[in-house]
Amino acid sequence: MLVSWRWLSQFVDTRGVDPLQFAGKFTTTVAEIDDVVQWGFGLRDVLVADVLAVTPHPNADKLRLATVDLGGRTVQVVCGAPDLRVGLRVPFVPPGVTLPSGITVRDGEVRGVASPGMLASEKDLGLSDENAGLLALDGCDAPAGTPLHEAIELEDVLYDVDNKAITHRPDLWGLYGVAREVAAMLDKPLKLFDLSLTLGAQLPLAIRVDAPDACPRYVCARVANVVVQPAPVNARLLLRRLGTRPISNLVDATNLVMLETGNPLHAFDARFLRGNAITVRRAQPHETLTTLDGQLRHLQAHDCVICDAEGPVALAGIMGGANSEIRPDTTEVVLEAANFDAPTIRRTAMRLGLRSESSARFEKSLDPVLADVAARRFLKLCQTWNPQAKIVSHLADIGPFTPEAKPLSVIRTTASYLRERLGVTAAELSDAWLDACLTRLEFQVARAGDALAVTIPSFRATKDVKIAEDLIEELGRHYGYDNIRSEAPQVAARPPHTPPLKLLERQVRNTLVHAGLTEQVLYGFDNEDARARLGLHEPAELTRVAVRNPIASAHTHMRRNLLPNLLAVAEAGLVQGDDGQPARKGLNIGVFEIGRVFVPERSDDRGLPPVLGNGTEADVAAYTAGMEGEMLRGVLDARLGTQPLPLQPVRLGLVFAERLGGGAEGAKLVFPAPEVTHRLLQQAIATLQHLLKWLGKVPLALETAGPAASAGAPDAQPSWRSQLGFDLVTADGETVGYVAALHPRVRIALDQPAQAVFLELDLAGLERAPAFKRVNR
Amino acid sequence: MSELPDWQIEIDQGAGRWQADVEGAETLEALRSLEVRALGKAGEIPALMKRIPQIPPLDRKAFGQAVNTLQARVAAAIELRRQVLVDGLIAAELTDATFDPTVGALPLKLGHPHPLSTVQADIEAIFSSMGFHVLDYPEIESEFDNFEALNIPGWHPAREMQDTFWLDSGHLLRTHTSAGQVRAMHEFPAPFRAIFPGKVFRYEATDASHEHTFHQVEGLMIDRKVSVGHLLDSMRTLLSAILQRQVEIRLRPGYFPFVEPGFELDIRCQVCAGEGCSACKRRGWLELLPCGLVHPNVLRAGGLDPTQWQGWAFGLGLSRLVMMRYGVPDVRLLMGGDLRFLSQF
C-alpha cells in the first residue's frame, strides 16, 4: 500500500522530519517499507498558464497554436494535445528546462512556427504515465505565471508499505491509521477529522439489513444536485500517485475517502435504484449480477449482495453493479458506507477471483465505527467539490452494530508482566513512558499501582489486539527492539534427546556416502508420468495417499515406496553422466535416499495431543480450561473429527544402475549377461552388509520367502521387483525390506540399455534389529 | 717350471668366463639366475668337486683349493655386481621424471552427501551442543497440529496465505515445521528446548525461488520468564554459529498467529556492511527468519499454563540457507535429483 507523506502531514506535524531517513524507523516500528519513491520533484521551473486563444497550425493538421497567459506576458506555442481549448489552465514548461522525464524543451520552431516552450501532460512532467492530454489544473486558483509547485501539491515522498506486513492491522489500510502511528512515533498530536454535516430531512430510501452476520453496519445517505466532472487537480494527482485512476469527482471522492479512512465506499446513481429501497441479504440460488468490470457473476447462497426492489445492484464489499454505476449525467447519488464481515467477503472474492481494493480492506476485519466516519468524510468532500450539492436525507445507520451495543474491551494486566516479557526494567521503561506510549496509540490506561486496565480502541479491537501479549508488541516496537538488552537465558543443563532413529539415519547416510553413493532428497509426491512410462505400480490392492488439490497432473499421489522416484533419478544419470564420468557403456551409478513414504493404513497417531485422544472428560476439561471462543471450538471439533494419520515410515532406498552397450534390437531390447546382474546384486548386498557391520548389527539374512514383515517394510511384490532377489530378514525373524534386480519388463522400458538393482528397507525395523546373535551357554 | 695341469687351465679359463658373465648381467633377475647357475646347490662350480676322482692324487688338494678360490671370487664378483645394479636402480628411481600427474587415477570413489543434509547436520550439531533436542515429526499432519494448535482458526487468512495441500483423508501436508510445536510440548516436560528440521509443502507455482516442497528448521524453547531479551541473545548466538561469523541482527514487527509479539528478524547485509546494495535491495538488512514469543494459546494447546511457562520460537528456511551458503541460484536444483549437480558436493 502506498502512503503519501504530504497527505500524512495534513494530519501530523512532520516539520523537521526527513521522510527518507524516517522510513527505516517506520519499518522497525510499524511495517516494512518495500520502497521509498520521490514524486513530483524537479519541476520548479514549470509555470501555470491559461490558454487564451487556439488557432490552427498553418503547416500541420494535428498541431495547433496556443496563446497562453503567463501572468503579465503571453506566449504562443505549438501544441499537439487533442484537449487543448480556450480557458484551459495547464502547466507551461519554458525553453531550456530539462524535465525529470528527460525531455529538454527547446526554443525552436515546430513545422516552421516558433514555439518557445511547451504545454505539458502528466507524463511529460514525470507525474504518471498519463499522456492522452494536457494536465488540466482544475481547482487551482493561483494566478497565471505562478510556479507550478506553489500552485498545486507536488514534491511528495511515497512509502510503499509491504501489504503482507499489515494483514493483521485493519487500521493501517487507511492513511489516517498510518498517521496515528507516525504521530505516536513523533509524540505529536493527531489532527481530528471534522465530521460536522448539514443533513437533510428524510431519506427517501427504505434500508433493510437481512443478513446482519454479513453486514454489521450499513450507513447510507442521498445527495442531490451533484454535477459529474473531473475532481480538482490535487485530488486527481494524489489518486494517481497512490495507484488509483481518477474517474470523476464522485467516484474519486469514494476512492480518496477509502484511502484516507480505510473504509471502502460505494456510490449508486439514485435513478437506477429501483423501488427506492435497499436490502442487504445473502444471494439467492441462480442469481446473477454484472459487476462494474462488465463480468457476469454467478452468485451463491453464501455471497452477500446489496439489492434494490428488484435484485442485486452490488456485490457487497467487493464491487458495484454495472446497472447502477455513476454516469456522466448522474445528478443524484446514494452513498453506501458499510461494514461487512471479513470471512464472507474473502470467501466470495476468492471464489470469483475478484480481489478489489475494497475486498482487500474488508477482508482485514474493519472497525464498524469507521463506516460513519467514512460516510461523513465523503459527504463533506462532495459538498466541497460541489458547493451546490444537497444532502437530501439523514444519515441512515442500520444493522446490529451500534457503538453502545459493543462496549470496548479491556485488557487487565500488570506493568511488571509487560516489562518481564520484553526483558526491560522499570528504570529502562518507566511507568510514565508505558502509559504515555499506549495513550498515544489511543489506548485508555487506568492504573492502580502496578495493575493496569487497558481499554482497546475500536480500530484495534476487531482482531489485532486482544490480550496482554499484544500490548507487549505495542510497547516493544515503540520502545525500540534495538533498545532491549539482549540477555542469555538461564537454562538447566541437560543432555539433549535425539531419537534413536535420527541417530541411525545419520550413521546410514555417512556410511553410504563413504561407500561411494550419492545422496538424494526427492519429492514426497510420486511422479505418475514416470510410473506410467516405466510400468511402475504396487499391487492393485495397495492404495496410495491421494492429494485432493494436486499442483500438477503428475503429482496426484504421495509415494508409498522410495524406488520409483529413485529409479527415475538413476535413469537420468545414465543419460547425463555422473561425477565427471561420461554416459557410456559401463557407467555405474549408486544413489540412495533416506525419507518418509506414506501408507494409507491407520497409524496410532491422530495428530492430536494425547489428552484429546484418550483422556477422560475430566482430563479434557482441565486441558481446555484456559481456552475460549474459536480456539475451544476448534479443539473440541478436532477431538471428534480427526482421523488417525497414515503410516509414515522412514525408509532407506538404494539403486545401483549400470549402462549397457547398445544392441541390434535398439536400445530397449538389450539383455544383460547374467554376470552383470550378479555383479550388481553383489555390489548391493556387499554395500548392505558393510553398512550393517558399521551399524553394529547382525548381518541381515537373505531369504527367498521371508517371514512376517515389519509395519514400515516396503511392499513385497511391486511391479519393479524381479524374482531374482531376496527378502532381508533380521536375526529376530522380521522382514524389513528386500534387495532385488529390476524386473525385465521395467528395465526394457528404460530410455537407456541398462541394468539396475535396488534395495529398500524400513529404518525403524533396522533400528530394532539385534546387535548380536544369541550364544548358547 | 712344469706346465700347468689341464684342470688348472680349465679353472682359470672358467674364472675369466664367470667374470665376464657377471659383468654382463644387466638386471638383478639375470644376476640372480647367474648366481644360481654358478653357485647354487646344483650349480656348476660346486659340481667341479665331483671331478676329484679323476684328478691325480697329488693334485687333489690343490684342485680343491682352486675350486674354493673360484667359488669365492665368483661370489664376490656377483655381490659387487649386485651393488652396482642396486645403486643404478636407486639412482634411476630417485631421478624418475616420467610421472604425469594428469594421467590415470586410482578407482577410489567417495560418494556425495546432499547439501541439504550437510547444512542440516551442521545446524543439528550446533543446537545439540547447546542442549536442544533434535526431533523429527510427520510430514502428513492433522489440521489441528498445523493450524488450530497454532492459533490459526478456520476462517483465518493465514490458512490461505500459506496455501495448503489437502489429502483425500482430510489430512494435509504440513505447511511449516511449526506443526511440531504442540507435539513437542506434549512429548517433553517443560522446560525444554528443541529443533525439528524437515520437509514442508506449499501449494504454489514453482520458479527459481519457489518450490512446492522445501525444508525448514523449527526452533522452540520453553522455560519460565522467557523475554524478548532472551530471544535476541539466543538468535544472535545461534545465527552467528550457523553463519560462522558474528552477525548483527534486528527485529521488526511481523505477524504470525502463533507468536505474540511476532517478528521478522533481519541480519545486517554482509555484502555491503549495511550501506545498501542490490543483494539487500538497498536496505542494508537481509530478511532471514520469522520468530517471536510463543502465543499463550499455543502454550495452552501444548498443555502448558501460560502464566507459568513462556517460550520463543523461530522458523529457519533451510533450503534458503543452503542456497545462501553455496550460492545455488535455483531452488529447484535441490530436489531435482540431477547427479551432475549433486556430485559436486
Side-chain angles (χ1 to χ4, degrees):
Chain A
M1 194 187 67
L2 288 162
V3 171
S4 155
W5 186 259
R6 201 178 228 285
W7 198 10
L8 183 143
S9 300
Q10 294 176 9
F11 297 98
V12 195
D13 179 1
T14 59
R15 279 173 300 175
V17 181
D18 174 0
L20 302 178
Q21 292 289 318
F22 191 75
K25 187 153 190 256
F26 188 93
T27 284
T28 52
T29 308
V30 185
E32 178 167 34
I33 295 174
D34 277 337
D35 205 3
V36 179
V37 180
Q38 298 188 63
W39 176 91
F41 285 85
L43 300 173
R44 295 205 163 192
D45 296 322
V46 181
L47 305 174
V48 173
D50 287 322
V51 180
L52 298 178
V54 177
T55 53
H57 190 292
N59 307 323
D61 290 345
K62 288 192 175 168
L63 297 177
R64 287 179 290 171
L65 305 178
T67 306
V68 297
D69 175 10
L70 293 174
R73 67 189 172 106
T74 60
V75 174
Q76 188 186 59
V77 292
V78 178
C79 178
D83 57 341
L84 179 67
R85 60 185 156 80
V86 172
L88 201 63
R89 165 160 270 225
V90 292
F92 172 81
V93 188
V97 171
T98 301
L99 294 169
S101 57
I103 301 171
T104 299
V105 177
R106 290 178 308 160
D107 187 0
E109 291 186 350
V110 180
R111 291 284 195 100
V113 178
S115 183
M118 184 181 94
L119 306 184
S121 70
E122 290 179 32
K123 186 173 183 185
D124 294 333
L125 301 177
L127 300 177
S128 79
D129 292 334
E130 179 61 35
N131 205 25
L134 298 169
L135 169 58
L137 301 173
D138 316 82
C140 164
D141 302 329
T146 308
L148 188 66
H149 72 279
E150 290 171 16
I152 66 170
E153 292 171 4
L154 293 175
E155 303 189 352
D156 197 359
V157 173
L158 307 176
Y159 287 176
D160 188 355
V161 177
D162 180 7
N163 283 350
K164 288 196 296 295
I166 53 173
T167 52
H168 61 306
R169 290 286 305 269
D171 63 312
L172 296 184
W173 285 78
L175 174 91
Y176 193 72
V178 177
R180 185 186 292 116
E181 286 283 346
V182 172
M185 288 168 71
L186 299 175
D187 194 11
K188 293 274 172 65
L190 179 68
K191 193 178 148 198
L192 296 174
F193 283 127
D194 174 9
L195 298 176
S196 62
L197 282 180
T198 310
L199 294 168
Q202 208 181 349
L203 183 77
L205 277 172
I207 314 268
R208 272 178 41 194
V209 173
D210 285 352
D213 52 338
C215 177
R217 192 175 196 188
Y218 198 88
V219 176
C220 193
R222 184 171 176 135
V223 188
N225 277 353
V226 293
V227 178
V228 174
Q229 57 192 22
V233 62
N234 282 333
R236 288 194 339 257
L237 288 176
L238 180 57
L239 283 173
R240 275 253 192 258
R241 64 187 185 265
L242 297 179
T244 304
R245 193 166 58 93
I247 293 168
S248 68
N249 54 352
L250 291 175
V251 177
D252 291 357
T254 62
N255 284 330
L256 266 184
V257 171
M258 172 181 75
L259 294 172
E260 181 184 65
T261 63
N263 202 115
L265 300 174
H266 185 65
F268 300 95
D269 185 323
R271 284 177 296 176
F272 303 115
L273 287 181
R274 297 154 294 189
N276 250 357
I278 284 180
T279 306
V280 184
R281 61 165 170 80
R282 300 278 181 182
Q284 289 161 1
H286 312 301
E287 235 169 4
T288 59
L289 171 69
T290 301
T291 42
L292 281 174
D293 54 5
Q295 299 283 313
L296 180 69
R297 309 284 178 177
H298 293 272
L299 305 178
Q300 293 185 1
H302 176 269
D303 304 329
C304 180
V305 285
I306 315 299
C307 302
D308 64 8
E310 292 176 29
V313 290
L315 197 52
I318 301 174
M319 194 173 273
N323 51 9
S324 55
E325 73 175 306
I326 302 295
R327 299 178 187 196
D329 60 346
T330 299
T331 57
E332 241 180 284
V333 297
V334 171
L335 172 78
E336 163 197 296
N339 182 269
F340 296 109
D341 169 56
T344 300
I345 301 303
R346 194 177 60 251
R347 236 171 288 173
T348 300
M350 296 260 299
R351 193 193 79 242
L352 296 175
L354 181 58
R355 309 290 288 270
S356 61
E357 288 285 316
S358 171
S359 73
R361 286 175 171 76
F362 282 121
E363 281 179 11
K364 307 294 181 297
S365 297
L366 294 181
D367 174 14
V369 169
L370 276 184
D372 176 66
V373 175
R376 289 170 183 271
R377 291 293 292 165
F378 172 87
L379 295 169
K380 197 104 189 157
L381 196 55
C382 192
Q383 287 189 314
T384 310
W385 291 353
N386 276 276
Q388 76 290 356
K390 275 203 170 59
I391 304 165
V392 294
S393 69
H394 61 188
L395 207 54
D397 190 348
I398 316 293
F401 174 87
T402 61
E404 305 76 44
K406 193 160 186 284
L408 296 173
S409 315
V410 176
I411 296 171
R412 293 178 200 286
T413 182
T414 62
S416 50
Y417 178 77
L418 301 178
R419 284 196 195 95
E420 187 182 286
R421 288 288 77 71
L422 280 174
V424 293
T425 63
E428 290 165 325
L429 195 161
S430 69
D431 282 351
W433 190 91
L434 187 156
D435 294 2
C437 173
L438 291 176
T439 306
R440 283 201 292 273
L441 292 166
E442 298 188 33
F443 291 84
Q444 293 166 39
V445 183
R447 176 185 280 278
D450 193 40
L452 298 173
V454 180
T455 306
I456 309 168
S458 66
F459 51 84
R460 300 298 301 279
T462 52
K463 69 173 184 183
D464 172 24
V465 178
K466 286 198 178 86
I467 57 176
E469 283 70 16
D470 297 318
L471 300 179
I472 297 169
E473 171 153 358
E474 297 303 297
L475 294 170
R477 63 193 180 87
H478 278 278
Y479 179 71
Y481 293 122
D482 287 350
N483 296 325
I484 293 175
R485 258 179 307 106
S486 108
E487 190 186 350
Q490 306 295 304
V491 294
R494 297 277 184 279
H497 167 77
T498 306
L501 197 59
K502 183 104 200 161
L503 296 173
L504 184 80
E505 276 179 39
R506 287 182 191 162
Q507 282 182 296
V508 171
R509 173 177 299 115
N510 289 337
T511 311
L512 292 178
V513 166
H514 284 111
L517 286 89
T518 300
E519 189 191 6
Q520 291 284 348
V521 178
L522 300 172
Y523 294 129
F525 303 107
D526 262 330
N527 185 330
E528 302 309 314
D529 296 343
R531 285 171 64 98
R533 180 170 60 82
L534 298 176
L536 303 174
H537 55 83
E538 289 82 5
E541 69 277 13
L542 302 180
T543 58
R544 290 175 291 154
V545 173
V547 182
R548 198 183 289 168
N549 55 334
I551 192 89
S553 60
H555 291 328
T556 53
H557 288 81
M558 304 304 292
R559 62 182 180 185
R560 112 170 236 155
N561 288 287
L562 293 178
L563 190 273
N565 285 345
L566 213 45
L567 181 64
V569 162
E571 186 190 20
L574 289 176
V575 176
Q576 294 159 345
D578 174 30
D579 219 348
Q581 303 175 65
R584 62 172 176 234
K585 181 186 172 186
L587 172 64
N588 181 286
I589 283 177
V591 289
F592 74 99
E593 180 180 12
I594 300 168
R596 287 189 189 277
V597 298
F598 308 97
V599 182
E601 275 170 37
R602 294 168 160 238
S603 67
D604 51 12
D605 183 351
R606 288 175 69 199
L608 287 181
V611 58
L612 292 182
N614 48 30
T616 63
E617 289 306 314
D619 293 339
V620 174
Y623 172 65
T624 55
M627 300 178 190
E628 50 193 24
E630 284 156 344
M631 167 128 206
L632 182 60
R633 265 201 313 281
V635 167
L636 296 178
D637 287 353
R639 185 184 178 208
L640 296 177
T642 306
Q643 297 299 314
L645 298 172
L647 291 174
Q648 304 175 52
V650 178
R651 298 246 186 94
L652 165 66
L654 183 157
V655 172
F656 283 112
E658 187 166 311
R659 185 150 158 167
L660 307 173
E665 297 288 326
K668 303 213 163 185
L669 291 179
V670 175
F671 284 75
E675 307 86 81
V676 172
T677 309
H678 297 169
R679 179 163 49 70
L680 286 171
L681 259 181
Q682 275 154 4
Q683 192 180 5
I685 292 166
T687 303
L688 172 71
Q689 303 302 21
H690 170 73
L691 171 65
L692 289 161
K693 195 165 213 172
W694 190 254
L695 298 177
K697 300 286 186 185
V698 177
L700 294 174
L702 307 179
E703 303 200 356
T704 41
S710 76
D715 296 325
Q717 291 303 334
S719 69
W720 53 85
R721 179 176 174 178
S722 129
Q723 277 89 332
L724 180 54
F726 305 94
D727 285 350
L728 300 172
V729 182
T730 70
D732 283 346
E734 187 180 351
T735 298
V736 293
Y738 58 78
V739 55
L742 193 60
H743 195 286
R745 292 268 168 230
V746 172
R747 194 187 65 230
I748 63 179
L750 292 173
D751 279 341
Q752 291 302 315
Q755 176 59 305
V757 302
F758 53 91
L759 173 163
E760 183 155 347
L761 60 81
D762 173 32
L763 277 195
L766 189 60
E767 201 268 318
R768 283 192 299 273
F772 61 91
K773 283 183 181 162
R774 287 214 183 82
V775 176
N776 292 324
R777 298 182 57 194
Chain B
M1 195 68 188
S2 60
E3 275 191 2
L4 286 173
D6 289 348
W7 58 264
Q8 183 70 54
I9 292 166
E10 194 183 331
I11 284 178
D12 287 350
Q13 286 174 346
R17 223 174 36 245
W18 286 119
Q19 185 66 36
D21 283 356
V22 166
E23 281 168 10
E26 293 295 336
T27 66
L28 286 174
E29 290 73 24
L31 188 63
R32 176 63 190 155
S33 56
L34 180 63
E35 187 176 26
V36 170
R37 185 161 58 86
L39 305 173
K41 267 187 186 162
E44 290 178 27
I45 293 173
L48 287 175
M49 287 300 191
K50 289 177 187 160
R51 290 171 56 187
I52 289 257
Q54 285 109 53
I55 301 297
L58 283 178
D59 284 357
R60 285 183 185 166
K61 187 180 176 190
F63 176 78
Q65 284 173 342
V67 169
N68 283 339
T69 305
L70 174 65
Q71 187 161 337
R73 281 175 60 192
V74 169
I78 287 175
E79 200 45 48
L80 194 64
R81 181 66 187 157
R82 181 173 281 130
Q83 287 305 321
V84 170
L85 288 177
V86 164
D87 287 351
L89 285 170
I90 287 175
E93 185 178 331
L94 290 176
T95 55
D96 176 17
T98 62
F99 176 67
D100 180 351
T102 64
V103 170
L106 289 175
L108 181 71
K109 193 182 172 197
L110 192 61
H112 309 280
H114 197 285
L116 277 166
S117 293
T118 304
V119 175
Q120 183 176 325
D122 288 355
I123 290 175
E124 290 180 1
I126 289 162
F127 279 89
S128 207
S129 75
M130 294 179 70
F132 284 75
H133 308 319
V134 177
L135 308 175
D136 188 24
Y137 287 127
E139 291 164 19
I140 294 184
E141 261 292 7
S142 63
E143 275 193 87
F144 181 86
D145 279 341
N146 198 74
F147 290 129
E148 259 91 13
L150 294 172
N151 196 39
I152 311 173
W155 56 267
H156 204 287
R159 290 206 179 186
E160 288 151 20
M161 274 158 54
Q162 14 183 279
D163 286 340
T164 307
F165 283 107
W166 294 93
L167 304 176
D168 281 356
S169 58
H171 300 119
L172 50 82
L173 301 182
R174 66 177 172 190
T175 60
H176 44 199
T177 43
S178 311
Q181 285 195 14
V182 164
R183 284 180 177 268
M185 290 180 208
H186 284 283
E187 190 174 342
F188 296 95
F192 73 89
R193 43 201 189 278
I195 58 167
F196 15 111
K199 263 184 201 167
V200 300
F201 307 82
R202 301 276 169 89
Y203 186 85
E204 67 180 14
T206 59
D207 59 31
S209 49
H210 296 87
E211 251 285 30
H212 54 66
T213 308
F214 55 99
H215 289 72
Q216 286 186 333
V217 182
E218 191 80 2
L220 177 66
M221 172 164 153
I222 299 291
D223 213 320
R224 295 187 193 275
K225 298 186 190 297
V226 174
S227 73
V228 175
H230 293 146
L231 173 70
L232 278 167
D233 184 84
S234 302
M235 295 317 300
R236 186 177 294 115
T237 308
L238 294 164
L239 289 173
S240 294
I242 292 169
L243 299 174
Q244 296 166 338
R245 64 188 166 93
Q246 231 16 64
V247 294
E248 194 183 338
I249 62 171
R250 76 171 184 189
L251 300 178
R252 54 188 170 79
Y255 171 62
F256 311 96
F258 38 100
V259 282
E260 190 64 57
F263 308 109
E264 291 283 6
L265 184 147
D266 296 339
I267 56 172
R268 182 73 83 179
C269 178
Q270 75 181 120
V271 177
C272 62
E275 294 295 311
C277 64
S278 62
C280 58
K281 295 188 206 152
R282 290 179 287 121
R283 292 174 183 143
W285 295 88
L286 222 53
E287 185 173 312
L288 189 66
L289 56 80
C291 58
L293 298 189
V294 180
H295 194 285
N297 281 350
V298 179
L299 293 165
R300 287 187 188 102
L304 297 170
D305 176 355
T307 64
Q308 298 297 309
W309 299 101
Q310 296 89 34
W312 57 243
F314 69 82
L316 177 62
L318 185 62
S319 303
R320 179 152 169 253
L321 205 61
V322 170
M323 294 173 75
M324 280 170 66
R325 180 185 287 190
Y326 298 108
V328 179
D330 188 329
V331 67
R332 291 168 295 191
L333 283 168
L334 294 182
M335 297 184 72
D338 191 328
L339 291 169
R340 293 170 299 179
F341 172 70
L342 294 174
S343 64
Q344 299 177 60
F345 290 90

